[in-house]
Amino acid sequence: VRQRPIELLALGDGPVNVLILGAIHGDEPTTAVITEKLIAQLKSDPSLFAGRRVGIIPVANPDGYAIKSRYNANRVDVNRNFPASNFSLSRTAVVRPGKSPASEPETRAILDALTFIRPHLIISIHSISRGRECNNFDGPAEGIARLMSRHNHFPVTPSIGYPTPGSMGSYCGGDLRIPMITLELPKDETGESSWERNRAAILTAIRAAG
């Protein structure tokens, strides 16, 4: 909305494609730390993603990230703005889905990334209040979620505990049937600590994709 770029870094070239994104909610800055550390790790050791193409969007909502807001500059929750079959115009003080599905430029940029990467696995990194951290899966991704849980020891769940109409998980996992993980980190944990706790889980998921 404010003309800040949404960057996509694509690493590798293989028959299996993975898309990973952070900071779709701009008030979850730890998620951007994870994506930046993941980029550095993959660049330092390409064997970690051999036979795979990994696309990473470090900050999916740069306007919100700049002001530490859940929403974009239009005050829309990008993660309720996807053209999912369960998209709803119903609004609350927290849920702000936008005026129509994919009305927001951030949503459209992510949809463009889907077309470009054509992922066999999506990992969207979020953060949540401590005690509710989890490997939340949509679509045919329960196996991946359980593999991740062996490393980060987060619960595996098909639900975050409340409805998420118009979410990326609803659209990509539910409607398109792309295996999708919403990795929920403890919100009060540092980026460094979250990375150490989740590094093996994310790298294992990348290798298990496809």
Side-chain angles (χ1 to χ4, degrees), residues 10-11 31 43 48 83 99 107 118 137 163 183 192 200-201 207:
L11 297 170
T31 68
K43 283 184 172 180
L48 294 171
K99 61 185 179 183
T107 314
R118 299 190 179 279
F137 67 90
L183 173 58
E192 186 68 37
R207 290 193 293 269

Side-chain angles (χ1 to χ4, degrees), residues 22 24 32 34 42 48 55 79 83 89 113 124 174 180 187 189 204:
I24 196 170
I34 300 298
L42 295 181
L48 294 171
N79 201 38
L89 286 172
S124 182
M180 176 155 174
K187 199 159 193 173
E189 193 169 62
T204 296

Side-chain angles (χ1 to χ4, degrees), residues 21-26 60-61 70 78-79 82 110 124-126 168:
L21 63 154
I24 196 170
H25 289 144
N61 178 7
R70 177 182 179 90
V78 177
N79 201 38
F82 284 84
I110 295 168
S124 182
I125 308 173
H126 289 250
M168 189 175 182

